[in-house]
Amino acid sequence: MKKIVRRDKTLDISPDQATSSHIEDLLTTWTILIVDDEPDVHTVSRLALSNFEFAGKKLHILQALSGEEARQILLKETKIAVAIIDVVMETDDAGLKLVNFIRNELKNSLIRLIIRTGQPGLAPEKSIIDQYDIDDYKEKTELTETKMYTTLRLALKSYQTLKTLNSNRDALAKILDAAPSLYNPQSIKQFFEGILEQIISLCDLGETSFISTMRNTKAVHSGFVATTDKDKQLTIHAGTGHFADYQWNNETNTIQKACIKCLLENKTNTALLSGEPLPEGSMLIPLQVDEFSLSFIYLENTQHLLKPDKDLIGVMAYQCAAALKNLQLYLELKAAHHQTSQLLSMAEHARDMAEAANSAKTTFLAKMSHELRTPLNAIIGYSNLIQEEALDSGYQDVLPDLRKIQSAGQQLHSMISDILDISQIESEQLKVYLNQFFLDPLIEEIKTLMQPLLLKNQNQFEVQFYSHIGQICSDHQKLKQILLNLLNNANKFTKKGLVQLRISHHSVLIDEQNRKQCKPENQSCDKCNSSGYLVFQIIDNGIGIPENHLKRIFESFVQIDETSAVTDGGTKGAGLGLSISQQLCRIMGGKITVESVENQGSTFTVRLPVNLKR
């Protein structure tokens, strides 16, 4: 099979003249340039480097007796790895001008530059290193044979590393450029044709660049992409060269069998496979997708690719395999699209029904609450009248029962009010009515309402103002409801203890735990002015709340302590009071937080704007 090569600019070899020996010469030598106006220096350098070898490659030495002669060589030779340059030649700075020519005019940052001077006084080391982009500085007297070997070896190693990085960067850029087209939804045939084209074009980035996508050459193009199924049947999806027409002959049938055998013997090996039983110079690139099927790429005439080149092709193959998985998933999703659309339609219908049911529930609760209040108000009113008549008539024995009826009615009235509030909050019908008022009368009213409940549990009640607070702008009724809910909750679970209400004023809202300024939950900081925030702390020394229940304390009807339900007529956090208080705070631009230690007490902190804007 005829080998196809491309023109190499350095050797100026046409495709018809190129041979394997030319390629071998290029692959097995390092080209270095020695620039010095003393012929003896060239002679000594050649002798010192006559047996030099690095990374399995010998030296190809080019010589120049002046800076100008070196320029002409550099314009023709593009693969020079290292240049050893004298400073003082036809002029005192000829070598430095040559360095500037290489770096700034040729824009060659890859070649390693070593300054070797016999007159360090004319070119001081520190000054030269600071001003010029060189890699090493040596005086001629110190460059013995050993030092010459060490210096050149380090320079070649640096050159090799930089060249590999450049090659990898270009190849990876090509891989990244190809990625979008690989991941675009398309047919399997288009996908595999694109993979084959990208892999072959990637070969053009190798160190030799002899494998390329020459459009008129079948030999370089020969290859195919195929898949095997669980029955080991091979399907060709795209081919080039003598595989393009899918017409199998004895040779191609042999290759087919060799590919399957190689893949079966290396089923889990994703590295590049080559050698027997495949033809010489061929390459088999697996694209592992799943355990049942395997896709792969077969290429011919790849014998001149180096290991780093093959590694990059492996990266591209990995990218292709990932894209193939993505394409298969896309096709599976596309096939199931109709069914998914039906399920989405059913889900939307179910959601609409759920929203309608929730709306109906809210409307029902609101109407029911209004309807229940009328007979309940009558029950509470008549119980008051009967208590007065029984007291006047001397029927002391029935008063306890009458008080229980009144208490039960008031509890039921409170529960119905809570349900109405929840229904309005859920339906977003609850409105905030703002007015300006002084806080002291509100606190006195709350103290009066709380007094009978506090006496029942034999609790002490303290109110402490930590700041002078004048008029505020807020919803009087909702603020009163929030504080009463929290104080009732504190009193209910405290026996013969202390309930405190601490009130203070802050210029900004403070996160007490992290000591940071923060915004309320609904970001209503924009609604308030520079008057800042009121902070209400309701503190008790009652039964407290277990730490694992703190996150759920504001949920509706949450019961924390089942044992207290019988004795207290409720549970810590049960009902709607805390949930409503939290929602009211949110609506009013504030927030509630809680801290508690079991059997030691709880602290509920309310933060609300002093002046809530209308």
Side-chain angles (χ1 to χ4, degrees), residues 483-530:
L483 296 178
L484 282 174
N485 281 345
L486 296 177
L487 287 169
N488 275 325
N489 188 73
N491 177 69
K492 182 186 296 185
F493 300 101
T494 305
K495 303 294 184 183
K496 298 180 181 180
L498 176 65
V499 176
Q500 294 177 293
L501 172 59
R502 298 178 180 177
I503 306 169
S504 58
H505 173 264
H506 295 273
S507 59
V508 292
L509 180 60
I510 300 294
D511 181 339
E512 297 292 349
Q513 184 174 8
N514 298 314
R515 303 303 300 169
K516 295 179 180 179
Q517 297 182 12
C518 60
K519 292 183 179 181
E521 292 177 356
N522 65 343
Q523 296 184 341
S524 60
C525 282
D526 295 337
K527 296 181 180 179
C528 63
N529 60 21
S530 59

Side-chain angles (χ1 to χ4, degrees), residues 234-465:
L234 184 138
T235 303
I236 303 295
H237 295 281
T240 61
H242 53 257
F243 297 104
D245 55 6
Y246 304 90
Q247 298 296 319
W248 296 96
N249 51 36
N250 291 336
E251 181 183 0
T252 52
N253 284 329
T254 301
I255 292 174
Q256 172 188 343
K257 293 177 182 178
C259 288
I260 294 176
K261 179 180 178 182
C262 194
L263 291 169
L264 291 176
E265 292 176 353
N266 300 273
K267 187 173 182 180
T268 59
N269 184 2
T270 57
L272 300 183
L273 308 173
S274 60
E276 297 296 331
L278 300 175
E280 182 181 359
S282 62
M283 181 187 298
L284 184 63
I285 311 168
L287 304 176
Q288 185 73 46
V289 178
D290 55 51
E291 58 180 325
F292 300 111
S293 63
L294 184 66
S295 301
F296 65 90
I297 302 170
Y298 172 80
L299 298 174
E300 293 184 343
N301 293 341
T302 63
Q303 59 268 30
H304 296 303
L305 289 179
L306 302 179
K307 185 180 183 302
D309 304 327
K310 293 184 179 181
D311 290 340
L312 286 170
I313 293 175
V315 173
M316 182 66 171
Y318 180 84
Q319 182 87 349
C320 292
L324 180 56
K325 289 182 182 180
N326 183 72
L327 177 59
Q328 289 181 335
L329 177 61
Y330 166 78
L331 295 176
E332 290 172 2
L333 291 175
K334 185 177 180 180
H337 176 71
H338 180 68
Q339 182 180 1
T340 304
S341 298
Q342 287 183 325
L343 291 175
L344 287 174
S345 178
M346 293 172 61
E348 290 177 0
H349 181 65
R351 183 193 63 192
D352 292 341
M353 292 180 63
E355 290 177 352
N358 186 60
S359 177
K361 178 206 71 174
T362 302
T363 303
F364 169 75
L365 288 176
K367 290 184 178 179
M368 182 190 71
S369 298
H370 284 294
E371 294 297 329
L372 289 176
R373 279 184 174 185
T374 301
L376 187 58
N377 286 331
I379 293 172
I380 294 173
Y382 278 113
S383 70
N384 285 331
L385 290 175
I386 294 172
Q387 285 186 68
E388 293 175 1
E389 291 179 2
L391 188 62
D392 293 340
S393 303
Y395 294 106
Q396 303 290 336
D397 56 330
V398 300
L399 285 177
D401 292 332
L402 290 173
R403 290 193 181 101
K404 289 180 180 178
I405 292 173
Q406 186 182 34
S407 176
Q410 288 173 342
Q411 288 183 4
L412 184 58
H413 187 276
S414 177
M415 184 179 297
I416 291 172
S417 297
D418 286 346
I419 292 174
L420 181 59
D421 287 341
I422 284 291
S423 66
Q424 289 179 331
I425 290 172
E426 289 182 348
S427 61
E428 298 182 352
Q429 295 178 355
L430 191 66
K431 297 181 179 179
V432 176
Y433 297 95
L434 300 179
N435 57 348
Q436 291 188 338
F437 58 92
F438 288 98
L439 197 59
D440 290 350
L442 172 62
I443 299 303
E444 289 300 321
E445 183 181 356
I446 289 174
K447 288 170 66 175
T448 302
L449 293 172
M450 286 298 302
Q451 198 60 38
L453 300 174
L454 291 162
L455 289 175
K456 181 180 178 181
N457 284 356
Q458 303 179 46
N459 287 324
Q460 297 295 319
F461 183 44
E462 292 183 358
V463 177
Q464 299 175 346
F465 281 87

